[in-house]
Amino acid sequence: MTTLGAVFRPQLAPERLRSVCEAADAAGLEQLWLWEDCFAEGGISTAAAALAWTERLRVGVGLLPVPLRNVAVTAMEVASLHRMFPGRAVVGVGHGVQDWMGQVGARAESPVTLLREYLVALRALLAGERVTTDGRYVRLDDVALDWPPPGPQSESGVFAGVTGPRSLRLSGEAADGTILTAATNADGVRKARQLLEEGRQAAGGRAGASHHVVVYLLTATGPDADARLRAEVAAEGWESVPDLGVAGDAGAVAKAVERLAEAGADTVVLQPTGDEPDPEGFVRFAAEEVRPLLA
C-alpha cells in the first residue's frame, strides 16, 4: 500500500508547526515532511519538536544540505532522533541549492563527490562502525558514535534528495532511499527508477535491500485550486513538465497519487501550494479524505 504524507512548508513560521503536527497526528496522517530551506527553519530542530509533540506520526526531513553540515554532527543528531523516537524519523540529505550554498561560503566544486563521500560515511556511522576516511571533502579520523541507532540499519536508513541522472545513480548505489521533488511527474518517476536501479547494479545489486522512493506531489484543493496550482507551477518554472501536480477534490488527488504509485513511488507526499490558506485543514484533508480512497 502506498504511504501518504504531507509537507509543512518552511514559508510558514516555525510557531505554526505545532498545530499542524497535532492536526496531522489526530487525523491519522502517516507522515509529515519538513524542509531545511535556507534561510528558513532548521531540519533537525523542527523534526525533534514535531516528534515530541506527536504520538504516532512519522516525521521526514527532506532534506539536509550536506555542504552546511559536518557528517559527524549530522550522524549524532540523526542517531539521537532514532533513539528518542524509534521508527518515526526519516532523514534525507542532498546537494542543497547551490546559490544558497554560495551565499554561506559552502559551495562545493563537485557536489556529486561530496554527496557520495557523505552518504558512505553517514551510513557507516549510523550502522555503529568506526570510520576513518580522507576524502576530497569528508575527513574522519577514528570516529564512532557512542549512541548509534539501535536495531537493524533498515530502520535508520539514509535517503538522498536528488534530481539529475548522475545523482540518481549515486542514490541507488549509496543511499537507502530517494526523495524526488514536486517537479517529477509519473514518467519522471519511471525514469528515476531506471537510473536508481543502474546505481544499485553498479553497487553489486545491494542484495537484500529495497530502495524506497518518496515523491512530492504539488497539490491544491478548495477555492481557486486550479489557479493556485497554475501560479505555483509557473513561479517554479515547471510549465514544460506535462501532467504535473493536481488540483481538485479528494478523488482527483487520490487518482494523481495512484499514478505516481503505479510509476514506482512508495510514498507520495502532498505538497501544498505556497499560498495554502489552511495548513491544518490540508493535513486533515490528506488523512481523512484522500487516504481512504487509496488502494
Side-chain angles (χ1 to χ4, degrees):
M1 179 182 290
T2 306
T3 301
L4 188 69
V7 176
F8 176 88
R9 294 186 59 148
Q11 287 84 1
L12 295 170
E15 56 266 28
R16 291 293 303 275
L17 178 59
R18 182 166 189 165
S19 64
V20 175
C21 289
E22 291 175 345
D25 207 35
L29 185 68
E30 292 160 281
Q31 296 186 3
L32 185 72
W33 281 75
L34 311 172
W35 297 348
E36 186 167 84
D37 271 4
C38 297
F39 301 94
E41 297 160 5
I44 296 296
S45 57
T46 51
L51 288 162
W53 287 328
T54 56
E55 295 294 331
R56 47 152 301 281
L57 185 69
R58 295 198 78 191
V59 175
V61 182
L63 46 79
L64 301 174
V66 299
L68 284 178
R69 295 173 163 273
N70 183 283
V71 69
V73 174
T74 299
M76 291 160 57
E77 293 186 323
V78 172
S80 295
L81 291 181
H82 286 305
R83 293 190 72 99
M84 292 188 293
F85 308 101
R88 293 180 56 210
V90 185
V91 178
V93 299
H95 303 303
V97 176
Q98 294 306 295
D99 287 346
W100 290 341
M101 299 302 100
Q103 282 182 268
V104 297
R107 187 167 186 161
E109 184 178 355
S110 177
V112 174
T113 300
L114 168 56
L115 185 59
R116 177 183 299 278
E117 293 178 358
Y118 204 99
L119 285 168
V120 171
L122 181 57
R123 292 184 71 247
L125 289 168
L126 292 174
E129 298 177 19
R130 184 168 296 277
V131 181
T132 295
T133 183
D134 186 19
R136 181 174 176 183
Y137 297 104
V138 176
R139 298 179 179 89
L140 299 172
D141 182 9
D142 197 33
V143 175
L145 297 179
D146 285 0
W147 299 103
Q153 190 171 11
S154 60
E155 295 179 1
S156 56
V158 177
F159 283 50
V162 292
T163 54
R166 287 181 64 203
S167 296
L168 282 162
R169 292 188 185 96
L170 169 59
S171 185
E173 180 181 346
D176 300 292
T178 297
I179 304 166
L180 303 176
T181 73
T184 312
N185 61 12
D187 188 49
V189 174
R190 282 187 283 269
K191 291 177 180 176
R193 272 288 187 190
Q194 293 174 356
L195 292 165
L196 292 168
E197 183 58 28
E198 289 176 15
R200 283 168 55 81
Q201 293 304 316
R206 302 287 296 278
S210 60
H211 194 91
H212 195 99
V213 173
V214 177
V215 185
Y216 293 126
L217 173 63
L218 185 61
T219 305
T221 190
D224 302 320
D226 286 321
R228 288 170 41 230
L229 181 70
R230 288 196 301 270
E232 183 100 355
V233 169
E236 295 288 349
W238 295 339
E239 297 99 325
S240 63
V241 183
D243 302 319
L244 193 66
V246 59
D249 61 11
V253 175
K255 289 179 181 178
V257 171
E258 289 173 345
R259 285 194 293 272
L260 293 176
E262 289 167 0
D266 299 295
T267 295
V268 177
V269 182
L270 305 186
Q271 176 179 319
T273 58
D275 59 356
E276 167 58 50
D278 182 7
E280 293 84 2
F282 186 85
V283 297
R284 285 192 290 265
F285 166 77
E288 297 173 352
E289 298 185 44
V290 179
R291 171 77 268 179
L293 300 180
L294 300 177

